[in-house]
Amino acid sequence: MRHAVGYSREQTPTMAAMLFVLVLETVAMDLLLRRFGLPDVPRLVILALDASSVLGVLGVMVSCARRPHTVTPDGLRLRYGRLFGLDIPAELVASARIDRRYDEKRLVRLSDGELALAVSSQTNIVVELREPIEVPRPRRPWTTAVGSAATVRRVRFFADDPAAAVRAVAALTTTTTGERAP
């Protein structure tokens, strides 16, 4: 059985506001550049750059909504749209609990044996692992090189409904150990 765990609800209003401002800025910039008589070629280049920003924000919004975290009998798949993905095999999941943090500085943080995958600077679920796993460091958008891997024993992430997500992961630990989940 596949259980989808959404994570985009918290950031959607902020990203929608950013999208609205970007569209307004694109229209205003085009009107200003026309008013000041900028030739068509540079004006269209600027318009294309502005439009690409609009499409980028829209793409992140859609990919986060369409690619939720998933819990299956095979394990836990954590995602952030198309920007990040990690598969954790079911046999490595020891436990899951709700633990809210509002102080994450980055989207993906790898430090002290912990991976944090934040949404709006927040995480609300902690998954403890039986054994450490290798997590590749995310690549920078402007490079093709993937960073070195880090070893983690704990994973923090955000879910729109943390109680349902913890229940799904707890059921996963029950099926892998044959014992009742805590």
Side-chain angles (χ1 to χ4, degrees), residues 38-66:
L38 191 69
D40 283 345
V41 172
R43 185 180 59 78
L44 290 175
V45 168
I46 292 170
L47 183 62
L49 291 172
D50 279 350
S52 70
S53 297
V54 169
L55 291 175
V57 170
L58 186 61
V60 169
M61 286 176 64
V62 170
S63 70
C64 287
R66 301 276 301 155

Side-chain angles (χ1 to χ4, degrees), residues 101-113:
R101 285 206 184 156
Y102 302 94
D103 60 349
E104 292 297 335
K105 303 287 187 244
R106 306 184 72 155
L107 173 67
V108 178
R109 178 183 53 82
L110 287 163
S111 64
D112 300 325

Side-chain angles (χ1 to χ4, degrees), residues 1 10 23 25 40 55 60 69 85 92 94 125 131 161 180:
M1 177 168 94
E10 185 78 22
V23 169
E25 186 267 340
D40 283 345
L55 291 175
V60 169
H69 306 309
L92 294 184
I125 297 176
E131 298 174 19
D161 185 356
R180 185 145 181 79

